[in-house]
Amino acid sequence: MSRAKLLADLQAASADYSTAQRQLAEAQFSARHGMAHNLMFAASREHVAYHRWLSAHEAFATSAPKPAPKPAPKALAVTPRDPGADAVADYWRR
């Protein structure tokens, strides 16, 4: 799947997820206030929409182009000396 199609799928999943969250909140409100409601259906729909959104997000994130590898730094001909390490080594040689 191309990255544009994955982005479109992610956007559709995000819209579906926000709609499902809103419907769940409305069903919870109805349940709290004793109105007729279908709380289990709303909770199930929200759960399914969340997992669709999650998989669409993961698919889109893994389709990102990988950055080009950085070239390895050139090795120095002479390794720099650490004066602190030399002082510690001299101390323990005594």
Side-chain angles (χ1 to χ4, degrees), residues 18-33:
S18 64
T19 301
Q21 283 180 318
R22 189 170 42 259
Q23 290 173 346
L24 178 61
E26 290 170 2
Q28 288 170 337
F29 177 84
S30 296
R32 278 194 301 271
H33 296 286

Side-chain angles (χ1 to χ4, degrees), residues 4-85:
K5 286 182 183 179
L6 290 172
L7 178 60
D9 186 42
L10 175 60
Q11 290 171 338
S14 295
D16 289 345
Y17 182 45
S18 64
T19 301
Q21 283 180 318
R22 189 170 42 259
Q23 290 173 346
L24 178 61
E26 290 170 2
Q28 288 170 337
F29 177 84
S30 296
R32 278 194 301 271
H33 296 286
M35 295 182 255
H37 62 280
N38 194 350
L39 186 59
M40 288 303 294
F41 175 73
S44 174
R45 189 169 189 281
E46 191 268 346
H47 179 78
V48 170
Y50 170 74
H51 283 283
R52 179 174 176 252
W53 172 82
L54 192 63
S55 64
H57 185 272
E58 183 128 347
F60 182 72
T62 58
S63 72
K66 307 238 184 307
K70 295 181 181 177
K74 295 182 180 178
L76 297 174
V78 177
T79 58
R81 298 201 42 112
D82 182 6

